[in-house]
Amino acid sequence: MSSKPSSSPEWEDKTVYPSTTPADDLNYNGHEHAQYTDVEVALGEDEITQRNPIFRKLGGLFNKGVEARGIERVPEDERDGKHTIGLLLLWWSVNMVVSTLPIGLLAQAYYTLTFHSAVAAIVTFTALGAAFTAFIATLGPKTGLRTMVITRYSVGYIGATIFSVLNILTQLGFSVVAIILGGQTLTNVSNDKLPVEASIVIVGFLAVVLCFVGYEALHLWERYAWILLFIFYCCMWGLAGHKGFEMGAQQAKQATGKEYAGDFLSFGGIVFSSASGWAPVAADFNCRLPSNIKAWKVFLLTWFGLMVPLLFVEILSAALMTVPAYAEAFEEGDAGGVLATVFEPWGGGGKFILVIFAFSIISNLIPNTYSAALSCQCLLPAFQKIPRALWTILVFVIYTVAAVAGRDHFSEILSNFLAILGYWIAFFVVVVFEEHYIFRYLFHRQGDNSGGPSRGYDLNIYDNFKKLPIGIAGILACCCGAGAAVVGMAQVWYIGPVGKLFGEYGGDLGFEMSAIVTAIIYPPLRYIEYRLVGR
């Protein structure tokens, strides 16, 4: 977002900005720009509560603190910096949960990697995936918009609807994985007296209550939820150390040559997805921050907010698989069985900790449920007339039913879902990144005022189909990226031609191929689109 060019009347009155002074990184040319003026299309909270009979019926709940705002842009006078720390602590709580633990377990169990190879993959691919999410997070305060709405400026209204469908499926998938593990853990604590189906419903219900209330409630919960879990994870390090780590236990099973590279890449794709999977929701939780907050601050707080818990928990789980008793527990059961074995020496105290771990899933379900509900509103204009709070209930019902149906296939769901997830995340982030830095920044920094896309975001048109980009360039580029992902993928049910280069089981280069091809194709297509259509 930046000011309009100084010398071309074509750009007059097209770009609308928040009313406060812009962040320093918006002054791309180093020149002092005029103050932003806010032509009011951002509805206030009070206006939203009166928008139609459905909202008015829920007026009592809105008056008691339930968030009425959905995908409508947040006006500057309703923003503040009180949740800036949430850029760090929210992601700590979201990822310091029991559903992060199985990722490290897969390194040895599914990909025969040693502990050292697993750590190398975890650090490398988490750093990359967290950077994808952190970039998207910087756009929330700048625009006051939710993530899926921001994509309309890259791929148009139709393309953003497609992204919203993919995001709904992504968040439902994350929720299914998380709630199954929470239910399994709770059932293990009860010695199978509490059916896993009931455990799944109990855990999910507590999460949907917080999501129903909305933005303030979820930030409050996530600010503190990580603390107790961090202590318990430290206890796990101690208990596992007492059992005895055998760091060389997997060495004989680890593949070599191309097969090793394939295993490393495939596991890395899962790790990448566990961090980048938050990119489609990243702006949803900071769009109420002031527009003048520095982009580098948002980026670093988000990046470290993801890196610290993901590295801490995934490296711990990889280390657990070097303890023979824990590796055996995983082979005989599931990740919940590994947790139960770890805390078994503590008897009743250990079972209490397992209960806490089971309910830690709430922290992970919150952003999934909240953002999936927002994406439902993005699908059609009519869906925006249904309050966000009601959409959260529908989302909860869907993923709870799916989790009950797939409760016996947790590891397969986790490994396949996370790998595929990275494919669309890659082309989604690349398109938004290039739109932001090439067409709304670099183009005019080079002094070309001949008619390229505006460097700024006209915040008045975020819901105007006729004024947003038509999105053909973005959709075509993403389709090409998806095709490249198929060529490079390596899954149990299909291995692409490039994936087959890494041996019998292949090596997953899906997200890498998707990102590279999209990055090459999008800029020329977008330039042609603008020259032909003018938006």
Side-chain angles (χ1 to χ4, degrees), residues 189-458:
V189 174
S190 69
N191 294 324
D192 295 329
K193 293 179 181 178
L194 182 66
V196 69
E197 298 89 339
S199 299
I200 286 171
V201 173
I202 292 170
V203 173
F205 177 76
L206 295 176
V208 78
V209 170
L210 289 166
C211 292
F212 186 89
V213 177
Y215 192 92
E216 296 292 332
L218 66 87
H219 267 286
L220 182 63
W221 173 276
E222 305 286 18
R223 180 169 294 195
Y224 304 105
W226 64 274
I227 299 174
L228 194 58
L229 296 170
F230 174 74
I231 294 172
F232 292 156
Y233 278 124
C234 290
C235 293
M236 290 180 68
W237 274 109
L239 288 166
H242 182 71
K243 279 278 189 180
F245 296 112
E246 295 182 14
M247 296 303 182
Q250 196 76 8
Q251 189 66 51
K253 296 181 181 179
Q254 181 170 273
T256 58
K258 290 183 179 180
E259 291 187 1
Y260 169 73
D263 290 339
F264 189 88
L265 288 170
S266 295
F267 176 65
I270 293 175
V271 174
F272 169 81
S273 297
S274 71
S276 67
W278 299 114
V281 310
D284 296 350
F285 305 102
N286 61 24
C287 60
R288 290 178 180 266
L289 293 177
S291 62
N292 60 357
I293 187 172
K294 296 183 185 300
W296 64 263
K297 184 176 184 179
V298 175
F299 184 94
L300 287 180
L301 285 173
T302 305
W303 192 79
F304 279 109
L306 290 162
M307 283 290 286
V308 172
L310 287 172
L311 294 185
F312 183 74
V313 178
E314 290 176 12
I315 291 174
L316 166 62
S317 60
L320 292 179
M321 289 296 284
T322 69
V323 179
Y326 303 156
E328 184 179 345
F330 183 76
E331 291 175 3
E332 292 179 353
D334 47 45
V338 175
L339 272 175
T341 304
V342 171
F343 287 105
E344 187 176 18
W346 286 4
K351 289 192 173 184
F352 172 77
I353 291 175
L354 290 178
V355 173
I356 301 298
F357 267 120
F359 286 108
S360 74
I361 291 299
I362 294 172
S363 296
N364 197 266
L365 290 174
I366 285 172
N368 302 335
T369 308
Y370 183 81
S371 290
L374 293 171
S375 291
C376 288
Q377 286 194 320
C378 288
L379 295 178
L380 292 170
F383 287 0
Q384 196 174 343
K385 297 177 182 180
I386 301 174
R388 175 206 59 80
L390 297 183
W391 283 115
T392 62
I393 297 175
L394 176 63
V395 171
F396 159 73
V397 171
I398 293 173
Y399 68 65
T400 300
V401 171
V404 170
R407 63 191 180 278
D408 296 326
H409 306 284
F410 172 77
S411 294
E412 292 84 356
I413 293 173
L414 177 65
S415 59
N416 288 302
F417 165 71
L418 283 182
I420 296 173
L421 168 62
Y423 304 161
W424 90 267
I425 298 295
F427 62 67
F428 146 67
V429 174
V430 165
V431 163
V432 176
F433 181 89
E434 291 188 329
E435 177 71 23
H436 183 74
Y437 282 111
I438 297 177
F439 296 103
R440 301 182 187 273
Y441 167 37
L442 183 59
F443 194 98
H444 286 286
R445 187 177 185 183
Q446 295 174 340
D448 184 350
N449 292 327
S450 61
S454 172
R455 282 167 40 196
Y457 293 83
D458 184 346

Side-chain angles (χ1 to χ4, degrees), residues 94-104 181 233 309-310 313-314 317 364:
V94 166
N95 292 289
M96 193 79 69
V97 295
V98 70
S99 59
T100 304
L101 196 71
I103 296 173
L181 184 56
Y233 278 124
L310 287 172
V313 178
E314 290 176 12
S317 60
N364 197 266

